[in-house]
Amino acid sequence: MVLTIYAPLFASSKRAVVTLIEKGLEFETVNVDLLKGEQRNPEYIAIQPFGKIPVLVDGDYKIFESRAIMRYIAEKYRSQGPDLLGKTVEERGQVEQWLDVEATSYHPPLLALTLNIVFAPLMGLVADEKVIKESEEKLGEVLDVYEAQLSKNEYLAGDFVSLADLAHLPFTEYLVGPIGKANMIKDRKHVSAWWDKISNRPAWKEVSEKFALPI
């Protein structure tokens, strides 16, 4: 049965999309126009009661939250494509640890930058310069920790690519692209080398080509 992913054009959904492609899985997509409020339509609320994106439908099974979807795909289809969860309990622990770091430490300041620098002007809103400054400082502190970690390992969880790395792709693409702060990556030797490796993976290149940023 073909998997279906909703709202593939948006950054959070691309975490799921790149995982599907890494695993070599066939899938269909259903666009959800957030600007038109389609995420609040009754038929969408029926599968995602919070009206958020993305959602994955696998037959009769439905799951939402992008990182949960990544874990589900990687676990259910573990024997197909690269093992993105680690081969031992210890490696899995590191994958989960850095997935949580991405969600709780890396993503919040980067999301604030994205909303204020990229989306505020598109929506006719005034960017909050104080939030931009504070978020850049917070993200810089996180990236300094990453620099230390990546000086010891090729990837965040070890010397193997994992969900922890893939989860960073969509919003870091904003950082080095429309946000205009690529220096935050490039000025850190090991972070820069890591970004070059993960952003040049064929799966991510396919995501970038087929599901261009909706801006």
Side-chain angles (χ1 to χ4, degrees):
M1 185 164 299
V2 178
L3 299 156
T4 302
I5 187 76
Y6 283 74
L9 299 180
F10 293 90
S12 58
S13 301
K14 290 179 183 179
R15 293 191 186 100
V17 175
V18 72
T19 309
L20 288 165
I21 295 174
E22 284 279 358
K23 285 294 187 178
L25 299 170
E26 293 185 14
F27 63 96
E28 298 173 344
T29 61
V30 177
N31 290 327
V32 179
D33 193 329
L34 303 187
L35 298 180
K36 292 182 179 178
E38 291 180 356
Q39 71 276 20
R40 295 188 293 273
N41 290 348
E43 58 269 27
Y44 189 76
I45 293 296
I47 60 172
Q48 217 298 11
F50 298 104
K52 305 291 185 180
I53 61 168
V55 175
L56 179 76
V57 177
D58 185 2
D60 294 330
Y61 182 75
K62 302 174 182 66
I63 182 171
F64 51 82
E65 294 294 339
S66 62
R67 298 169 191 84
I69 294 171
M70 294 178 80
R71 290 176 169 103
Y72 170 76
I73 295 166
E75 190 66 67
K76 181 171 181 178
Y77 301 97
R78 194 162 191 163
S79 63
Q80 185 168 336
D83 187 340
L84 300 171
L85 294 169
K87 298 185 184 305
T88 66
V89 172
E90 291 77 13
E91 287 182 353
R92 177 66 179 266
Q94 289 297 303
V95 173
E96 295 292 347
Q97 171 183 280
W98 287 99
L99 270 171
D100 283 354
V101 170
E102 186 274 329
T104 61
S105 297
Y106 185 85
H107 182 68
L110 181 48
L111 177 61
L113 290 173
T114 304
L115 294 176
N116 277 278
I117 295 175
V118 180
F119 287 102
L122 293 175
M123 300 171 70
L125 302 174
V126 177
D128 189 325
E129 294 299 330
K130 182 173 183 288
V131 169
I132 290 173
K133 182 176 183 296
E134 291 175 349
S135 298
E136 186 171 351
E137 289 173 354
K138 289 177 183 176
L139 184 60
E141 292 171 358
V142 175
L143 285 168
D144 287 342
V145 175
Y146 279 40
E147 179 69 7
Q149 174 69 5
L150 291 164
S151 71
K152 298 178 289 186
N153 300 305
E154 188 174 1
Y155 298 97
L156 285 172
D159 291 325
F160 61 98
V161 70
S162 74
L163 296 183
D165 305 294
L166 301 183
H168 288 77
L169 283 163
F171 278 89
T172 308
E173 184 173 82
Y174 276 123
L175 183 67
V176 302
I179 289 175
K181 296 187 181 294
N183 62 294
M184 296 190 73
I185 300 295
K186 297 302 179 183
D187 289 351
R188 293 169 171 86
K189 175 183 175 182
H190 300 290
V191 171
S192 182
W194 166 74
W195 173 249
D196 286 344
K197 285 194 287 280
I198 64 173
S199 63
N200 280 295
R201 291 182 68 82
W204 182 246
K205 285 185 171 295
E206 184 174 339
V207 172
S208 298
E209 291 170 3
K210 290 184 177 179
F211 305 101
L213 294 171
I215 58 172

